[in-house]
Amino acid sequence: MMGLGGWIAVAIVLFVLGSIMALKPSGVEQRLDKLRMTARRLELNPKLIACPSWIRGKDNEYGRGMIAQYAIILSDIKLPETRYQVVDNQLRPDTTDNTVTANFSLDKLPLDLPESVQPFVKAVYSKANSMVIFWDDSAYVKPNSNPNYRSEDIEPDLLQIKRQLNEWAQRLS
């Protein structure tokens, strides 16, 4: 039989192990980290921001929650400030704000992004020398919202996002 000292030692070991296990990121957090690190390497400049008021965020409400923005910086192009909502997998000009002139250059263009990305894209924005896509990147890596997720698809999917952002920028310039 173990004495009181033995039980105390077991309790301490279990407490320490529990604390260490609590520090380990979950599988979804590890996937999200891999996605964002790959995006950085591909110069897509990922950021997690408060959802802008003109974008449907959490629970499909405007400006609610957090959203990821991935942006490319284009040193040789000057872009107008534009906002596009994604409606039925097409870009539609945002006409809700009078301070931004509606631009119809990309109106009704299909997203033309991988099927694993399309459901999570909310909006596209351009300004000065950057083209930005707003999307729920955390849903992309979650098994319940993207059951076909495969880590080897991350780079090809991000490269397609980058190509599409470049194509939209060319059309706007």
Side-chain angles (χ1 to χ4, degrees):
M1 284 256 169
M2 245 191 302
L4 182 59
W7 285 111
I8 292 174
V10 168
I12 290 172
V13 168
L14 290 175
F15 178 76
V16 170
L17 283 176
S19 298
I20 291 171
M21 294 303 287
L23 295 175
K24 185 178 181 221
S26 70
V28 169
E29 288 169 339
Q30 290 175 18
R31 290 174 170 189
L32 192 54
D33 183 56
K34 181 177 181 177
L35 174 69
R36 290 180 181 163
M37 293 304 286
T38 303
R40 277 187 192 89
R41 185 172 48 80
L42 297 174
E43 298 177 345
L44 273 167
N45 307 308
K47 283 186 194 174
L48 186 63
I49 62 166
C51 188
S53 61
W54 60 277
I55 297 175
R56 290 184 184 269
K58 188 175 180 186
D59 299 328
N60 216 22
E61 291 183 32
Y62 285 103
R64 184 148 186 244
M66 301 295 282
I67 193 163
Q69 78 172 27
Y70 286 43
I72 58 170
I73 307 300
L74 305 157
S75 57
D76 56 340
I77 289 182
K78 176 77 171 134
L79 297 171
E81 184 174 5
T82 64
R83 294 176 176 177
Y84 291 90
Q85 299 280 348
V86 175
V87 179
D88 297 327
N89 287 328
Q90 292 182 335
L91 298 178
R92 300 307 315 266
D94 176 57
T95 56
T96 60
D97 185 354
N98 295 334
T99 64
V100 178
T101 305
N103 183 308
F104 291 86
S105 300
L106 304 180
D107 190 24
K108 296 186 181 176
L109 282 180
L111 279 181
D112 198 20
L113 294 171
E115 287 183 28
S116 57
V117 172
Q118 281 187 18
F120 311 117
V121 176
K122 304 289 186 171
V124 172
Y125 175 73
S126 71
K127 183 177 181 181
N129 66 341
S130 63
M131 194 78 196
V132 180
I133 190 167
F134 294 93
W135 69 307
D136 186 356
D137 64 348
S138 63
Y140 172 82
V141 299
K142 289 180 182 172
N144 60 347
S145 54
N146 186 7
N148 298 323
Y149 168 84
R150 295 176 343 151
S151 64
E152 55 269 12
D153 291 338
I154 288 175
E155 188 163 340
D157 287 353
L158 290 174
L159 285 170
Q160 181 58 30
I161 289 171
K162 188 173 183 177
R163 275 191 294 276
Q164 192 60 60
L165 287 171
N166 272 304
E167 183 181 311
W168 291 331
Q170 295 301 318
R171 286 178 174 258
L172 285 171
S173 64

